[in-house]
């Protein structure tokens, strides 16, 4: 054992008895610390001074020495000594002194504001570097880790204050639009070696453009919620969209300072822009870049060209696609303008947009091919946007006849594909038809021989044949319109294609036929700015001319039930009548008044708000979110006022989108009673007032709007319940939406106590309550039929006959279904079409894929389909799109029971509403068998014993029963002629 330990060194020390020195040594570093009167002359002295908890004077001396503009020591360089100084500034000085230095939180600034401003600026200059930015983020990250560990509340309170200080410093450091320019200047001036410049810039790009600042700031804000001590809600650092706008402004400012021939600068800026795409707010960044480099000064367009040339191929393609998404929202909104003004601004906007697109793709074959792909792809062409952006894109290609011909050929092939016709949402097919007809017009004006040859080719003939053989009326309509439009151009008068059908005479058909005569030209980029200014200055058309709608020859007049009273006459009362009643005894005044109960007369509110009479009053009341009384009064009268004004004048139509935006974004700031019910009633009233327009608006808001999950779910509830109201189910759903809740003055003879009434009176969601009721209605006949089979053969049963009076009494009156006229284009297809767009763009990471929203989405589509009725003309196309969507979500429903239940209900509704079982077996045989097999697996795998499992088994059994009915009845059609032997 002794050999295991071998001594390497032996040292003899003095014993304790021989030690004669002092027990405690005075630190030499402490002696070296300068006082407030001494001048700091070296980085070591500054570091020691900052480490020793300096007073304000010593801090001033240290910051003056570290001044990047005057000191020989460069604190912005990534050296070890600079890193130590920056770390001590971030870890020690900021928590102690930022509250004093910051002008917002310092109550003593009035004593000597110039000096404290100077020290604050010096501190921020020392931290305005890659090293300083990294130190602040590292300190915030470590504080977030400590907050997540669940430490003591007293310690956590100190962490909250430190994080507040660090967030304030970070916002002050990078808050200016010149921050990016300052960093780039420091990198070029202070760093000499090219390799070091490249590495330092990459580190900066990683910090600023990879999402570290928003994520760390958001986590700091979230972990700082301790009782009433929270980080400021208006901080833009934790808001991804605001942060992206700031980054876009900094890129614009830096681009305006780089010369055109400075390749190193454009490469670095392109690297930053490409990295910023990972933030997830590409459109916000590109919009700021376009606004800054194009719309403010036309002379800056060369800078955008230089920036695009230094981007990678896929980054340029992303830039182009983002630009095509931005322009319809920013420059092509003509819905609020009169017809004449709309035409003027539309031509300006299309010409300017075409000039911008043409400038982006100029001398770049890759971007030209990307634009052709965008116009010709199965899901491209700006689905959901106005046709103006497609006109601008084709106008940008108008000088390249070969590119236009490629667009025409690709769209023709896709337009006639059988699988595309059967399975693609109709919203995509309409966009494809519009691009096809616009391209036909350009080709006809440039090369008539080519168009005549194409019109006699097999591609064109197969396209028209497949379209005319489609089961969907809308798909056939698009085929007929395309055939007629091309035939008018290439065929002689006696051989032109004609269809003697009513659909060919409606305004929508005329609009499609006129697309071949549209000829747009490339304008100037300045026209975009002029169009934007014209849109803000042109008057809104208060009395629009009667113009036929695209949906029909005479347009659609929404079904608006009468609400309120009607004024019959106004009677003038003579004052002498009052004198005749002088002999009547007057009532005594009450002893007390509720308004005068407060002893302090200054607290009595005499100016109480009144109920809104006009729509503008309603809009102003909804905007006044700080006034509780006005908000409560406005919300309680919103639905009735909108319904009254919907069919009278143009108040509602002029402000309907503004009303919808305010109602959707309204939050329950005061925890108001019946807030959600009243808000939902107002949103439904807006939808019912103009369903053809607002149905598409609410569908777009669910996918595109910047709203919370609860607000998105409320848009789905509005669509579902509003569709049922249009279909005639308003009285049945009144209890669910709160429309028939007892008024405050009603006598509650059979009402639970107030607390219990809130719990049991109304379901948590009107959609869920309606779904449960429909489940019972659809399952009950199956259960009755199954019970009837168990009682014995029909020959042994006694049949009773009812009198004719009893039969007539039980028969329900027919209710006009106003929804069937517009359900496809205004409700159903916008929801399904945009679903596929977001699925292709974001996959299952989209917020719409969350279980809460996905469940509400499926139930809303099922309710809309059920409310439209079995006789809706668009039912075949709706069935095809809905069935494909449901089958694609089978895997997504495996991990969540609520999604699975909603999916089964949607399948059951789909099979229930399609009464033509033969058509299902003929057109959807594959989908039918897949649904049956999947429902069988769900029924066998669902657990029993609890309410949730039994409900899933019940719905799966209902789907199985309905599918087996079709399979057994039309088995010969499904299996072919197998049994004919």
């Amino acid at each position: 054992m002794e050999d295991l330990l071998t001594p390497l060194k032996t040292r003899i020390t003095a014993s304790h008895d021989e030690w004669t020195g002092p027990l405690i040594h005075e630190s030499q570093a402490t002696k070296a610390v300068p006082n407030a009167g001494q001048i700091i002359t070296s980085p070591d002295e500054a570091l020691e001074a900052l480490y020793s908890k300096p007073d304000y004077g010593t801090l001033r001396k240290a910051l003056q020495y570290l001044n990047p503009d005057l000191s020989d020591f460069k604190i912005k360089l990534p050296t070890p000594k600079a890193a130590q100084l920056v770390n001590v500034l971030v870890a020690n000085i900021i928590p102690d002194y930022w509250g004093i230095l910051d002008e917002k939180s310092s109550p003593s600034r009035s004593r000597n504001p110039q000096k404290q401003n100077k020290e604050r600026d010096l501190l921020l200059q020392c931290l305005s570097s890659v090293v300083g930015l990294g130190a602040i983020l590292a300190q915030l990250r470590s504080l977030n880790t400590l907050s997540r560990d669940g430490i003591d509340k007293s310690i956590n309170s100190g962490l909250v204050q430190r994080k507040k200080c660090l967030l304030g410093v970070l916002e002050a450091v990078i808050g200016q639009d010149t921050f990016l320019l300052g960093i780039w200047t420091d990198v070029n001036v202070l760093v000499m070696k090219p390799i070091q410049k490249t590495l330092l810039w990459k580190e900066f790009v990683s910090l600023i453009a990879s999402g570290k600042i928003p994520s760390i700031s958001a986590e700091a804000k979230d972990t700082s919620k301790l009782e009433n001590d929270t980080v400021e809600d208006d901080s833009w650092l934790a808001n991804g969209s605001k942060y992206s706008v700031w980054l876009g402004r900094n890129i614009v400012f830096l681009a305006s300072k780089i010369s055109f021939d400075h390749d190193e600068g454009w490469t670095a800026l392109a690297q930053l822009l490409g990295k910023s795409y990972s933030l997830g707010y590409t459109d916000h960044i590109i919009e700021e870049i376009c606004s800054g480099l194009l719309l403010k000064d036309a002379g800056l367009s060369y800078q955008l060209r230089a920036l695009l040339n230094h981007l990678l191929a896929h980054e340029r393609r992303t830039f182009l696609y983002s630009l095509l998404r931005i322009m319809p929202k920013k420059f092509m909104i003509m819905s609020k303008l009169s017809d004449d003004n709309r035409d003027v601004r539309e031509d300006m906007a299309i010409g300017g947009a075409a000039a911008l697109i043409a400038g982006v793709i100029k001398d770049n074959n890759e971007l030209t091919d990307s634009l052709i792909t965008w116009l010709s792809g199965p899901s491209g062409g700006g689905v959901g946007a106005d046709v103006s952006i497609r006109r601008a894109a084709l106008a940008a290609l108008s000088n390249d006849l070969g590119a236009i011909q490629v667009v025409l050929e690709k769209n023709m092939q896709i337009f006639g594909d059988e699988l595309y016709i059967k399975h693609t949402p109709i919203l995509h097919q309409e966009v494809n038809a519009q691009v096809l007809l616009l391209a036909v017009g350009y080709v006809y004006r440039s090369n008539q021989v080519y168009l005549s040859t194409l019109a006699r080719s097999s591609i064109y003939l197969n396209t028209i044949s497949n379209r005319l053989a489609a089961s969907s009326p809308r798909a056939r309509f698009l085929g007929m319109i395309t055939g007629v439009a091309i035939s008018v151009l290439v065929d002689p008068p006696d051989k032109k294609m004609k269809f003697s059908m009513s659909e060919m005479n409606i305004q929508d058909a005329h609009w499609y036929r006129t697309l071949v005569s549209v000829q747009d030209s490339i304008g100037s980029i300045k026209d975009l700015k002029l169009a934007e200014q014209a849109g803000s200055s042109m008057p809104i058309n208060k009395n629009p001319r009667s113009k036929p709608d695209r949906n029909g020859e005479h347009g659609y007049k929404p079904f608006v039930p009468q609400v309120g009273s009607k004024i019959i006459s106004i009677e003038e009362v003579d004052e002498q009548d009052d004198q005749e009643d002088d002999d009547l005894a007057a009532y005594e005044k009450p002893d007390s008044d509720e308004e005068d109960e407060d002893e302090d007369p200054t607290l009595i509110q005499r100016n109480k708000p009144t109920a809104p009479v006009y729509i503008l009053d309603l809009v102003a009341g909804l905007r006044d979110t700080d006034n509780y009384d006005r908000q409560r009064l406005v919300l309680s009268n919103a639905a009735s006022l909108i319904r009254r004004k919907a069919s009278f004048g143009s108040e509602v139509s002029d402000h309907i989108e503004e009303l919808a935006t305010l109602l959707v974004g309204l939050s329950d700031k005061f925890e108001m009673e019946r807030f959600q019910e009243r808000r939902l009633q107002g949103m439904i009233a807006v939808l019912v007032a103009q369903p053809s327009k607002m149905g598409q608006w609410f569908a777009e808001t669910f996918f595109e709007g910047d709203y919370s999950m609860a607000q998105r779910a409320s848009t789905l509830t509005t669509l579902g319940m509003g569709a049922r109201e249009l279909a005639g189910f308003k009285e049945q759903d009144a209890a669910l939406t709160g429309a028939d809740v007892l008024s405050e003055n009603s006598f509650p003879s059979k009402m639970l106590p107030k607390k219990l009434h809130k719990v049991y009176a109304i379901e948590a969601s009107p959609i869920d309550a309606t779904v449960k009721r429909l489940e019972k209605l659809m399952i009950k006949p199956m259960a009755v039929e199954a019970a009837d089979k168990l009682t014995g053969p029909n020959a042994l049963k006694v049949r009773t006959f009812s009198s004719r009076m009893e039969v007539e009494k039980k028969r329900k009156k027919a209710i006009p279904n106003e929804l069937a006229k517009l359900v496809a284009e205004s409700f159903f297809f916008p929801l399904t079409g945009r679903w596929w767009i977001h699925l292709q763009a974001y996959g299952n990471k989209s917020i719409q894929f969350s279980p809460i929203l996905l469940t509400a989405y499926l139930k809303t589509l099922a309710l809309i389909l059920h409310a439209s009725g079995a006789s809706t003309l668009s039912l075949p196309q709706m069935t095809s799109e809905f069935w494909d969507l449901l089958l694609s979500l089978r895997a997504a429903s495996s991990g969540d029971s609520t999604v699975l239940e909603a999916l089964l209900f949607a399948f059951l509704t789909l099979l229930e509403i399609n009464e033509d079982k033969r058509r299902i077996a003929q057109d959807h045989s594959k989908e039918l068998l897949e649904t049956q097999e999947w429902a069988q697996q769900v029924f066998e795998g669902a657990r029993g014993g609890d309410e949730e499992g039994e409900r899933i088994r019940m719905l799966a059994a209902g789907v199985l029963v309905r599918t087996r009915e079709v399979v057994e009845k039309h088995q010969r059609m499904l299996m072919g002629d197998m049994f004919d032997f």
Side-chain angles (χ1 to χ4, degrees):
M1 295 296 292
E2 296 178 356
D3 297 336
L4 294 177
L5 301 175
T6 303
L8 297 178
K9 184 178 180 181
T10 304
R11 182 180 180 183
I12 301 174
T13 58
S15 63
H16 294 287
D17 297 334
E18 298 176 356
W19 180 255
T20 59
L23 296 178
I24 300 176
H25 280 279
E26 185 178 0
S27 176
Q28 298 297 326
T30 306
K31 292 182 179 179
V33 176
N35 54 35
Q38 295 179 342
I39 299 176
I40 298 176
T41 59
S42 68
D44 293 331
E45 292 181 4
L47 183 63
E48 294 298 335
L50 294 175
Y51 263 126
S52 60
K53 295 185 178 180
D55 56 10
Y56 195 82
T58 305
L59 175 64
R60 183 188 304 116
K61 297 293 183 180
L63 292 177
Q64 288 175 351
Y65 170 76
L66 296 175
N67 187 354
D69 298 332
L70 302 177
S71 177
D72 295 333
F73 175 74
K74 303 302 180 182
I75 194 174
K76 293 186 177 182
L77 282 176
T79 59
K81 186 63 67 175
Q84 291 179 356
L85 286 166
V86 168
N87 284 329
V88 71
L89 287 175
V90 172
N92 298 345
I93 301 303
I94 288 177
D96 294 338
Y97 281 99
W98 180 249
I100 301 174
L101 298 176
D102 188 22
E103 60 179 354
K104 294 183 179 179
S105 58
S106 175
S108 60
R109 272 189 44 80
S110 58
R111 297 179 181 177
N112 201 344
Q114 294 181 352
K115 287 186 177 181
Q116 293 188 7
N117 258 334
K118 186 177 180 180
E119 278 86 44
R120 179 180 182 272
D121 294 341
L122 288 175
L123 177 62
L124 296 179
Q125 289 180 20
C126 293
L127 298 177
S128 297
S129 63
V130 181
V131 179
L133 188 62
I136 295 174
L137 294 178
Q139 186 70 13
L140 274 173
R141 189 184 294 110
S142 63
L143 294 178
N144 292 339
T145 304
L146 291 176
S147 299
R148 288 197 305 267
D149 292 341
I151 58 179
D152 189 84
K153 279 190 175 182
S154 59
I155 302 178
N156 196 12
S157 178
L159 294 179
V160 169
Q161 296 299 327
R162 295 185 67 181
K163 283 189 284 188
K164 279 187 176 182
C165 294
L166 288 173
L167 286 175
V169 171
L170 181 60
E171 186 172 345
V173 167
I174 70 173
Q176 300 297 324
D177 294 346
T178 59
F179 173 72
L180 202 60
L181 177 62
I183 296 295
W184 173 247
T185 303
D186 293 338
V187 170
N188 281 275
V189 173
L190 300 179
V191 182
M192 298 302 175
K193 296 182 179 180
I195 297 179
Q196 292 181 350
K197 288 183 181 180
T198 303
L199 294 177
L200 188 61
W201 182 255
K202 284 185 178 179
E203 176 66 20
F204 173 71
V205 170
S206 174
L207 292 174
I208 206 75
S210 63
K212 290 183 180 180
I213 292 180
S215 61
I216 293 175
S217 302
E219 186 179 3
K221 178 181 175 181
D222 184 62
T223 54
S224 296
K225 292 180 179 178
L226 179 65
E227 298 177 356
N228 294 328
D229 196 4
T230 59
V231 178
E232 312 236 342
D233 293 337
D234 56 352
S235 176
W236 55 272
L237 295 175
N239 190 312
S241 59
K242 294 181 180 179
Y243 179 82
S244 300
V245 170
W246 165 85
L247 184 58
R249 291 199 307 267
N250 271 262
I251 292 175
V252 169
F253 194 84
L254 178 57
S256 64
K257 302 300 181 182
I258 301 177
S259 60
F260 183 76
D261 56 349
H262 195 281
D263 289 339
E264 184 182 359
W266 291 116
T267 302
L269 188 59
Q271 182 183 1
L272 176 64
L273 177 59
K275 186 67 174 178
S276 66
Y277 291 166
S278 61
L279 289 173
Y281 297 90
T282 308
D283 291 354
H284 294 76
I285 299 174
I286 302 302
E287 183 176 355
E288 285 296 320
I289 292 175
C290 292
S291 299
L293 296 182
L294 296 174
L295 302 182
K296 290 184 179 180
D297 188 357
L300 296 179
S301 59
Y302 76 91
Q303 296 164 346
L304 180 62
R305 167 62 50 195
L307 182 59
L308 288 173
N309 290 338
H310 288 81
L311 289 173
L312 300 178
H314 70 278
E315 294 172 350
R316 286 195 292 266
R317 185 169 58 252
T318 303
F319 186 96
L320 175 63
Y321 289 164
S322 177
L323 193 64
L324 293 170
R325 288 192 302 269
I326 292 169
M327 286 190 292
K329 302 175 183 177
K330 189 172 180 63
F331 306 108
M332 299 179 179
I333 304 175
M334 279 76 67
S335 60
K336 292 184 178 181
L337 300 177
S338 61
D339 296 333
D340 297 334
N341 292 335
R342 185 186 301 117
D343 294 337
V344 174
R345 184 191 170 195
E346 187 174 21
D347 293 338
M348 295 173 59
I350 292 174
L356 179 56
I357 298 172
V360 170
I361 67 174
K362 183 180 179 181
D363 301 329
N364 195 312
N365 295 330
E366 293 179 354
L367 287 181
T368 302
D369 294 339
S370 299
L371 182 60
I372 293 174
T373 303
W374 183 81
L375 286 168
S376 309
S379 59
V383 178
D386 190 76
V387 70
S388 302
I389 186 59
R390 293 180 278 280
R391 290 172 55 183
L394 283 167
L397 296 173
S398 59
N399 295 330
D400 188 353
L401 180 59
I404 294 289
Q405 292 178 358
V406 172
V407 171
L408 177 59
E409 292 176 0
K410 288 188 174 182
N411 277 275
M412 186 71 73
Q413 293 175 355
I414 295 173
F415 190 67
D417 186 78
E418 293 183 358
L419 292 177
Y420 178 83
I421 296 172
K422 186 176 181 180
H423 297 288
T424 305
I426 201 65
L427 201 63
H428 296 67
Q429 298 187 36
E430 290 177 349
V431 170
N432 180 244
Q434 294 169 13
V435 175
L436 177 61
L437 293 175
L438 289 170
V440 165
Y442 281 98
V443 173
Y444 174 74
R445 288 185 291 271
S446 303
N447 193 349
Q448 297 183 13
V449 177
Y450 174 81
L451 183 62
S452 301
T453 304
L454 181 64
R456 289 165 177 79
S457 64
S458 59
I459 296 178
Y460 172 75
L461 296 177
N462 290 334
T463 296
I464 300 302
S465 300
N466 294 338
R467 280 283 166 179
L468 296 180
S471 59
S472 170
R474 188 66 179 176
R476 292 196 302 269
F477 168 77
L478 294 175
M480 290 187 291
I481 288 295
T482 304
V484 169
I486 296 178
S487 178
V488 168
L489 298 177
V490 300
D491 293 335
D494 56 337
K495 294 183 179 180
K496 290 181 180 179
M497 187 181 298
K498 295 181 180 179
F499 293 96
S500 300
M501 302 180 66
S502 59
E503 291 87 349
M504 301 300 294
N505 298 322
I506 62 177
Q507 183 68 18
D508 200 17
H510 174 72
W511 182 84
Y512 271 98
R513 286 196 298 267
T514 57
L515 290 178
V516 296
S517 60
V518 172
Q519 185 175 5
D520 298 306
S521 59
I522 300 177
S524 172
I525 295 178
K526 294 180 179 179
D527 293 339
L528 286 177
K529 187 64 176 178
L530 295 175
E532 187 179 21
Q533 294 174 353
S536 59
S537 61
M538 285 181 181
I540 295 175
N541 186 16
K542 299 295 183 181
N543 298 309
R545 299 175 296 182
S546 79
K547 186 176 180 179
D549 201 323
R550 281 183 54 184
N551 296 325
E553 190 174 13
H554 302 289
Y556 170 72
K557 186 176 180 180
F559 169 73
V560 182
Q562 265 192 323
V563 179
S565 58
K566 182 179 180 181
I567 299 176
I568 304 299
S569 63
I570 301 176
E571 181 180 357
E572 187 174 350
V573 180
D574 192 358
E575 296 179 357
Q576 296 179 359
D577 296 340
D578 298 336
Q579 300 176 1
E580 299 177 0
D581 299 334
D582 292 340
D583 55 340
L584 299 178
Y587 288 104
E588 295 182 0
K589 293 183 178 181
D591 295 335
S592 62
D593 190 357
E594 294 181 0
E595 297 182 358
D596 298 333
E597 286 183 359
D598 204 315
E599 296 180 358
D600 188 357
T602 60
L603 299 178
I604 301 175
Q605 184 180 359
R606 299 296 185 185
N607 299 324
K608 289 192 173 182
T610 58
V613 180
Y614 302 103
I615 296 298
L616 285 177
D617 298 337
L618 180 60
V619 171
L622 291 174
R623 291 185 181 279
D624 190 5
T625 56
D626 296 330
N627 192 333
Y628 168 78
D629 294 329
R630 191 176 185 185
Q631 282 271 298
R632 183 178 61 83
L633 191 61
V634 163
L635 271 180
S636 59
N637 292 275
S640 59
L641 180 61
I642 294 172
R643 292 177 186 271
R644 274 200 315 270
K645 297 284 187 176
S647 56
F648 179 77
S650 61
E651 281 188 89
V652 175
S653 60
D654 290 343
H655 305 280
I656 192 163
E657 290 190 10
E658 187 177 9
L659 275 174
T661 303
L662 290 172
L663 287 170
V664 173
L666 200 62
S667 58
D668 191 5
K669 182 179 180 180
F670 302 103
E671 297 183 359
M672 199 178 300
E673 187 178 1
R674 294 182 56 198
F675 172 83
Q676 297 298 342
E677 301 168 25
R678 291 168 175 170
R679 173 170 163 267
L680 179 60
Q681 292 173 25
M683 293 166 64
I684 293 175
V686 168
L687 176 64
V688 173
Q690 287 190 351
S692 58
K693 175 182 179 180
M694 298 311 297
Q696 300 180 22
W697 187 91
F698 278 108
E700 181 181 2
T701 301
F702 172 69
F703 288 101
E704 305 291 345
D706 189 10
Y707 297 105
S708 64
M709 293 181 64
Q711 291 168 339
R712 292 178 192 271
S714 67
T715 61
L716 292 176
T717 304
T718 303
L719 286 170
M721 306 311 293
R724 286 182 57 82
E725 180 174 337
L726 290 171
F729 297 102
K730 181 183 178 181
E731 295 181 358
Q732 299 181 19
D733 299 336
L736 303 177
T737 58
D740 68 340
V741 177
L742 295 175
S743 63
E744 298 178 358
N745 297 326
S746 60
F747 183 71
S749 58
K750 295 182 179 180
M751 185 180 293
L752 292 171
K754 189 174 182 180
K755 293 183 179 180
L756 297 178
H757 180 75
K758 291 182 179 180
V759 177
Y760 295 103
I762 300 178
E763 293 285 344
S765 170
I767 292 288
D768 294 336
T770 308
V771 165
K772 290 180 180 179
R773 190 171 62 205
L774 292 180
E775 285 177 2
K776 295 178 181 179
L777 292 177
M778 289 186 288
I779 295 296
K780 186 177 180 179
M782 303 182 200
V784 171
E785 184 179 356
D788 185 60
K789 290 181 180 179
L790 295 176
T791 57
N794 293 334
L796 301 178
K797 297 175 184 176
V798 179
R799 183 180 178 184
T800 59
F801 294 90
S802 302
S803 64
R804 184 175 179 181
M805 297 295 292
E806 294 178 356
V807 173
E808 292 294 335
K809 186 184 298 184
K810 294 180 180 180
R811 180 176 299 172
K812 295 182 179 180
K813 295 182 180 180
I815 302 175
N817 191 344
E818 300 291 338
L819 177 68
K821 301 177 183 179
L822 47 88
V823 62
E825 294 187 2
S826 300
F827 285 81
F828 201 85
F829 291 154
L831 284 174
T832 56
R834 292 184 181 276
W835 169 265
W836 293 113
I837 297 174
H838 275 253
L839 184 64
Q840 293 172 0
Y842 307 106
N844 57 3
K845 296 181 180 180
S846 173
I847 189 175
Q848 285 78 17
F849 236 89
S850 60
I852 297 176
L853 291 182
L854 182 57
T855 301
Y857 175 75
L858 292 174
K859 291 180 178 179
T860 301
L861 282 175
L863 290 181
I864 293 174
L865 183 67
H866 182 273
S868 63
S871 59
T872 304
L873 294 177
S874 303
L875 183 60
Q877 182 66 26
M878 293 166 63
T879 300
S880 177
E881 291 194 18
F882 198 25
W883 216 328
D884 290 340
L885 189 147
L886 295 179
L887 289 176
S888 68
L889 292 174
R890 288 175 292 179
S893 65
S894 58
D896 194 283
S897 58
T898 58
V899 178
L900 179 59
E901 182 182 345
L903 189 61
L904 287 169
F905 172 75
F907 272 121
L908 185 59
T909 306
L910 182 69
L911 295 169
E912 190 75 22
I913 205 67
N914 281 273
E915 297 178 352
D916 189 358
K917 307 301 181 185
R918 181 179 179 83
R919 182 180 57 79
I920 291 180
Q922 184 176 358
D923 298 339
H924 305 284
S925 56
K926 179 182 177 182
E927 293 87 346
L928 182 66
L929 296 177
E930 287 186 10
T931 303
Q932 181 182 0
E933 182 180 359
W934 176 76
Q936 180 71 33
Q937 295 176 358
V938 173
F939 181 78
E940 295 174 354
R943 67 184 188 276
D946 58 341
E947 182 180 355
E948 184 177 302
E950 292 298 332
R951 189 183 302 113
I952 291 177
R953 286 174 61 86
M954 177 189 70
L955 291 173
V959 175
L960 275 176
V961 170
R962 291 306 183 204
T963 53
R964 286 176 179 174
E965 286 179 356
V966 182
V967 171
E968 292 174 0
K969 187 174 182 179
H970 302 282
Q971 191 170 11
R972 186 183 298 273
M973 182 184 299
L974 293 171
M975 303 300 293
D977 297 331
M978 181 184 294
F979 299 100
D980 293 341
F981 57 85

